[in-house]
Amino acid sequence: MPPIKIGVFAPSLTLDVTASPHETADVARVAEELGFESLWVSDHLTGRCPMLDPLLTLATAASATTRLRLGTAALVPALHPLPGLAQRLATLQFLSEGRLLLGCDAGDSAWARWRGGLKDAAAWRATGIPFDERDARMDAMLSRLPGILRGEPGLIDPEQPELALSVPATVPPLLIGGENDAALERAVKYGDHWFPALASPSWLSEGVTRLRALAEAAGRPVPGVTIAQPFGLGDDVERPTTPDQVRTLAGIYGFPEDRWVALSIDGGPEQAAARITEFAEAGADRIVFSTWDRDWQKQYGLLAEAVALLD
C-alpha cells in the first residue's frame, strides 16, 4: 500500500473576522515546512463562517511556497460562469507552476451542508442560477473545462469557434465531491479522485466498494479516494463530542449520530496515526484534515508527529 498523502485546510476565519491578512501565507509556509502534501480552502458566498475567495486565497499560498499542492474543497462550479472560472483556474495553475488540485461538487453534498445549506441560501439567488440546474451545470463544466484549459477553441462559446483561452494551462486533477450514486458515477466518468467529506472507516469502505463496481461496469479506471476529516489532538483541546453536540452536528450534516462519533480523530499522535491507518486500509489515498481548535499551529504540529509515526 503506497504512503497516504496528508493535506490540511487553511483555518477558517472566525465569525468576527479577526484573522490577520498575513495568516494565509503563514499557514501555507508552515504546512510546507511540516511536510504536508497540500493546503485546502473551501468555496461559498454565505454559510456558517466567513470565507475568502478560494482561488485568490490559493494564489496567495502559491506565492509563499514552492512545493505545496493547493486544493479546493470543494468548489461549486454551478455558481461560477465557466469562461471566467477557466481563466482564474488557468491563472492559478500558471502562478503555482501546476500545483492545483480541483475539488468540486454540485452543491448538495456534505460540503454544501457544512457551508450552511446552499439549497436555500442567498448564494444561488444572488447568482441567478436555479438550484435545480446544479447537476446539469456541473456535468457541462466537467465535460468542457479540461478542453478549455488546454486552449482548445470553440468550447468557451460554440457560436464563436475561434474563441479560446488566451493562456492555456495544464488540467489539474479533478476530485469529485458527493456521497450518492450520482456523485460516484460522476467521479468514475470525469474524475481522478472521489472526494467525500466526513467519513468513518466502515462507511468509506462501503463507498469504495460501490466506486470500484461502478468503474468496472463502465470499463474505466477506479478513481483514487480523497477524504476530508476533522481532528483535534492533545489533552487540552475542546472536543465536540458531548451528546448534545454530536446530535447537533449529525443533524447539520444529515448523518447518523454513530457516524459522527466514528469519523472524528482525537487523542494523541499515536491514536491519530492508528486512525489514519484505518482510513488508508478502508481505501483512502489522501486525507485532508481540518481542526476545530483555533491554535492551528499546535494542531498541525501534532498532526505532523502522527504522520511521522506512519513511516
Side-chain angles (χ1 to χ4, degrees), residues 231 233-234 236 267-269 272 297-307:
F231 83 105
L233 303 182
D236 57 344
Q297 289 180 298
K298 179 191 75 173
Q299 289 299 321
Y300 291 170
L302 290 170
L303 179 61
E305 292 181 29
V307 174

Side-chain angles (χ1 to χ4, degrees), residues 196-201 203-204 227-230 255 259 262-264 275 279:
L198 309 176
S200 65
W203 181 90
L204 180 63
I227 61 174
Q229 296 297 117
F255 294 164
R259 179 175 164 189
L263 65 83
S264 59
R275 293 284 285 158
F279 281 107

Side-chain angles (χ1 to χ4, degrees), residues 121-160:
W124 293 91
R125 294 193 302 271
T127 57
I129 299 169
F131 182 75
D132 290 344
E133 295 181 6
R134 66 195 183 281
D135 287 314
R137 292 178 65 88
M138 174 79 165
D139 289 333
M141 185 281 289
L142 291 173
S143 64
R144 294 167 60 195
L145 181 63
I148 292 175
L149 288 176
R150 288 191 292 264
E152 296 174 10
L155 293 173
I156 292 178
D157 184 350
E159 296 184 4
Q160 299 186 58

Side-chain angles (χ1 to χ4, degrees), residues 5-246:
K5 299 180 179 70
I6 302 296
V8 292
F9 274 90
S12 298
L13 300 177
T14 57
L15 291 177
D16 56 358
V17 198
T18 57
S20 165
H22 304 291
E23 188 173 56
T24 295
D26 293 340
V27 170
R29 281 189 287 264
V30 169
E32 186 165 82
E33 290 167 2
L34 289 173
F36 295 125
E37 179 242 10
S38 47
L39 180 74
W40 299 74
V41 296
S42 295
D43 173 34
H44 63 77
L45 298 177
T46 64
R48 302 186 186 283
C49 61
M51 188 64 63
L52 300 173
D53 178 90
L55 301 185
L56 289 175
T57 302
L58 291 180
T60 299
S63 70
T65 56
T66 59
R67 174 196 58 79
L68 196 69
R69 304 210 69 174
L70 309 164
T72 57
L75 195 76
V76 182
L79 294 176
H80 301 266
L82 184 52
L85 177 62
Q87 183 187 43
R88 293 166 66 208
L89 292 172
T91 300
L92 182 54
Q93 279 289 69
F94 175 79
L95 295 174
S96 69
E97 297 183 294
R99 288 185 275 150
L100 178 62
L101 298 166
L102 182 56
C104 52
D105 74 23
D108 58 354
S109 66
W111 295 112
R113 293 191 291 273
W114 174 78
R115 285 188 291 262
L118 287 178
K119 180 176 181 179
D120 56 359
W124 293 91
R125 294 193 302 271
T127 57
I129 299 169
F131 182 75
D132 290 344
E133 295 181 6
R134 66 195 183 281
D135 287 314
R137 292 178 65 88
M138 174 79 165
D139 289 333
M141 185 281 289
L142 291 173
S143 64
R144 294 167 60 195
L145 181 63
I148 292 175
L149 288 176
R150 288 191 292 264
E152 296 174 10
L155 293 173
I156 292 178
D157 184 350
E159 296 184 4
Q160 299 186 58
E162 77 287 354
L163 196 63
L165 199 66
S166 58
V167 181
T170 56
V171 180
L174 297 177
L175 297 85
I176 310 300
E179 302 87 37
N180 57 22
D181 285 341
L184 290 170
E185 291 169 358
R186 188 175 284 128
V188 168
K189 185 174 182 179
Y190 299 110
D192 298 283
H193 273 227
W194 176 43
F195 195 7
L198 309 176
S200 65
S202 60
W203 181 90
L204 180 63
S205 181
E206 293 173 2
V208 170
T209 298
R210 289 160 52 210
L211 181 71
R212 289 172 178 163
L214 288 168
E216 182 178 356
R220 297 182 65 85
V222 180
V225 178
T226 294
I227 61 174
Q229 296 297 117
F231 83 105
L233 303 182
D235 296 329
D236 57 344
V237 63
E238 182 179 352
R239 295 173 175 81
T241 54
T242 68
D244 286 344
Q245 289 170 322
V246 168

